[in-house]
Amino acid sequence: MSDDHGHGHGHDDNGHDTTLARIEALSKENVHHAGDHEGPFSLHVLGLGAAGAAVVAEILADAPDGFTALAVNIGDEPLAAVRAAAGGSSAVATVDLPIPSRAGLSASLNRYREFLKMEYPRYYWNPNYEPWLPGDLALPGPGEPVPRAIAKAIYNCEYYQNGEITQAMEAFAAGVLASDKTPVVVIPFSLGDSSASGIVVDLARHLSSIKLGRRPWVVGVGITPTEPSAGFFPVINELDCMIDSSKNQGVMAVWGDLYKNPFTGGFFSVPQPEGRDVAPGIGKFLSAGGGKDLYESLKALNWLAVPGDQWHPAIRGEQSDKWINVLTVTGLDDAGSLGDLGLTKGFSTEYAEARVFGSGKEATAAAKAVGAAIPEVAATRVAPVVKTAPGAGFVSVVLPRATKLDLAAFVPSRDLYDPLEWDDKLLLHSWILDLGVLLCEPSIRFDGMGGECIWGCACWVVVPHAAIRGEAIESPVTEPEVAAIARSGAGVAASG
């Protein structure tokens, strides 16, 4: 068995460690470097929330050829900076999602089954459906925080009723597909922003699976707070069940392939200690080499995700529970200390790569410093790889294949989430609330499974509740058992 799900290392018929061979191919043979037949590349960014908009504005200061962008937020203030940086460019658009009246939102939510049926004809028409938001819930005013469950409703009701966001996403996708280069699409957002994290779980699906037809790589870049919070627990678990292919299969077993992982190119987590602005570094990393360096990093991550006995470069790797690829960017002078990456002590991974963009003695010193700094935060099977290239004076470091349990904030966030009242927990969720599923709570129909039905019927997911909580699973669910359980629930949900 390969080590892709943390079960050990793959070996060929002669007993050779194929996982180590793949890692050495990255570090010594540079198999992930773009060849003459790859590229040139074009970068396309859909920034969500204030943080996503800030990343777009940073890139616009020195945008690579072919760059297009869309910035989306509930509230216009962060979007104004994007428009100012764009200078009227037709390649950049912004959308301020309006907060509707309570009556208007209720009317839209009452039609939600119609919306999903139009998107996905096989959608199961649940007779128990009710809007996930209480009818008497007060909506936030201008400038007030928007809970995730409300942000989901605001975005989707605009999207499904052909609002400005629908047109903007269609135009953005058309620009991506019309590129005469190899496009790479990136969705940056903050996991600590309730409106952005509440929207991304649906917007990423609409963009990747519907508008783009899963053709270009779509990459998530999640700016991740290092301090625990109750809201972090549902956010990271929704992403975990979306991106980890094993858990995602358990969701699709009940709800269909509409809910297949939309982040086809992988996911970067950018740690953000309180008070640190990470948007400039993200912008530099994404646009370096016109997107070539981003492409090569993605290619390396895909290579690592391929099973140990099937490591041909043409094989697309499936994400495991090790889907979190930690990215941090520093200045040349700061390369000797990577700071607080929000990882647990003793974190280990197979491979780490730093890229130093600069020249002269300063770049040489930064390369030496970052090579020494990486082992202080992560153990690797081979020595960290440090590459240098001409550029604007910065260092990017990628530590691949962490799990949610490798994030120091995960367990404390779970402890903050657990004592909350049910209504408060609901407002912290987003992804499959429209299906009646509160992901982080236990199923009320299938013992040991996750996903409480908010309507009291049988909505759920074929993911052990212990796996959602990050706890040991006493009796792992086998693939035949997944299929059998899914069939038993076929009367209450669409099959995959």
Side-chain angles (χ1 to χ4, degrees):
M1 183 175 290
S2 83
D3 73 331
D4 193 43
H5 290 263
H7 299 306
H9 302 294
H11 294 81
D12 62 19
D13 292 339
N14 296 315
H16 298 132
D17 187 336
T18 54
T19 300
L20 181 59
R22 286 187 295 125
I23 299 166
E24 290 178 336
L26 284 173
S27 61
K28 297 178 180 179
E29 300 170 30
N30 298 321
V31 295
H32 60 307
H33 285 196
D36 294 339
H37 62 291
E38 296 172 288
F41 305 94
S42 59
L43 177 66
H44 310 267
V45 177
L46 200 164
L48 280 177
V55 170
V56 172
E58 290 289 344
I59 296 173
L60 284 168
D62 188 22
D65 244 6
F67 175 68
T68 68
L70 170 62
V72 179
N73 190 47
I74 300 175
D76 190 61
E77 185 176 350
L79 306 178
V82 175
R83 291 193 294 271
S89 169
S90 60
V92 181
T94 63
V95 175
D96 174 13
L97 293 168
I99 297 178
S101 67
R102 176 67 256 190
L105 188 62
S106 292
S108 298
L109 290 178
N110 282 327
R111 296 184 55 205
Y112 212 89
R113 288 179 299 178
E114 299 173 32
F115 301 153
L116 287 179
K117 192 71 173 176
M118 287 187 293
E119 178 180 353
Y120 193 60
R122 294 174 62 195
Y123 165 72
Y124 170 72
W125 189 271
N126 192 327
N128 298 301
Y129 172 81
E130 294 178 10
W132 61 90
L133 296 178
D136 59 352
L137 182 69
L139 296 179
E144 293 180 350
V146 182
R148 296 186 73 226
I150 296 178
K152 173 189 182 73
I154 290 171
Y155 162 74
N156 280 292
C157 290
E158 281 289 301
Y159 173 83
Y160 285 121
Q161 295 181 105
N162 205 31
E164 182 184 1
I165 183 62
T166 319
Q167 308 303 317
M169 286 177 63
E170 288 175 354
F172 177 77
V176 173
L177 296 175
S179 175
D180 59 357
K181 301 177 180 179
T182 300
V184 181
V185 180
V186 181
I187 305 178
F189 68 100
S190 171
L191 276 69
D193 179 344
S194 58
S195 60
S197 66
I199 291 169
V200 72
V201 292
D202 293 316
L203 178 144
R205 175 180 90 240
H206 295 151
L207 177 66
S208 180
S209 297
I210 298 173
K211 306 297 184 187
L212 295 175
R214 303 185 71 85
R215 293 190 291 279
W217 263 349
V218 174
V219 182
V221 175
I223 297 169
T224 307
T226 56
E227 292 298 313
S229 68
F232 181 71
F233 185 64
V235 172
I236 198 68
N237 273 312
E238 289 180 7
L239 292 170
D240 190 41
C241 288
M242 185 181 295
I243 303 173
D244 173 2
S245 61
S246 177
K247 296 186 185 76
N248 189 235
Q249 287 290 336
V251 175
M252 292 192 296
V254 182
W255 299 109
D257 58 10
L258 181 65
Y259 294 92
K260 188 175 179 65
N261 171 28
F263 295 111
T264 55
F267 195 96
F268 291 104
S269 170
V270 182
Q272 184 180 36
E274 192 171 349
R276 182 181 175 190
D277 182 9
V278 297
I282 294 172
K284 290 176 181 177
F285 171 77
L286 295 180
S287 57
K292 175 174 173 286
D293 289 274
L294 169 62
Y295 174 82
E296 291 183 347
S297 296
L298 295 174
K299 195 174 172 186
L301 299 178
N302 182 65
W303 177 267
L304 287 171
V306 170
D309 56 351
Q310 302 174 24
W311 51 290
H312 189 278
I315 297 173
R316 173 65 66 90
E318 288 284 348
Q319 300 295 328
S320 71
D321 60 343
K322 299 180 178 183
W323 57 269
I324 300 171
N325 303 296
V326 177
L327 164 69
T328 187
V329 182
T330 72
L332 295 179
D333 292 341
D334 302 323
S337 175
L338 299 182
D340 179 13
L341 300 185
L343 293 166
T344 56
K345 290 183 179 180
F347 170 70
S348 63
T349 186
E350 297 95 336
Y351 171 86
E353 182 176 274
R355 296 193 174 213
V356 178
F357 296 87
S359 59
K361 293 181 179 179
E362 194 177 18
T364 302
K368 183 177 180 180
V370 75
I374 291 174
E376 296 178 3
V377 294
T380 54
R381 290 198 71 191
V382 298
V385 175
V386 181
K387 302 181 182 301
T388 58
F394 71 96
V395 179
S396 67
V397 178
V398 176
L399 304 175
R401 292 170 55 76
T403 73
K404 65 185 181 184
L405 283 169
D406 291 319
L407 302 180
F410 179 78
V411 171
S413 295
R414 184 183 67 197
D415 294 341
L416 293 171
Y417 168 89
D418 282 345
L420 295 179
E421 297 294 330
W422 191 89
D423 289 345
D424 295 325
K425 288 180 176 179
L426 183 143
L427 289 177
L428 296 177
H429 285 75
S430 176
W431 183 31
I432 45 180
L433 285 179
D434 44 323
L435 303 177
V437 181
L438 200 63
L439 182 72
C440 293
E441 297 299 300
S443 168
I444 60 177
R445 174 165 176 173
F446 294 102
D447 186 40
M449 293 293 109
E452 177 183 349
C453 181
I454 65 177
W455 304 320
C457 56
C459 303
W460 61 301
V461 292
V462 191
V463 180
H465 187 232
I468 293 171
R469 292 185 57 78
E471 298 170 342
I473 302 173
E474 294 183 6
S475 301
V477 183
T478 65
E479 289 186 11
E481 287 173 329
V482 167
I485 296 173
R487 284 195 299 273
S488 71
V492 294
S495 70

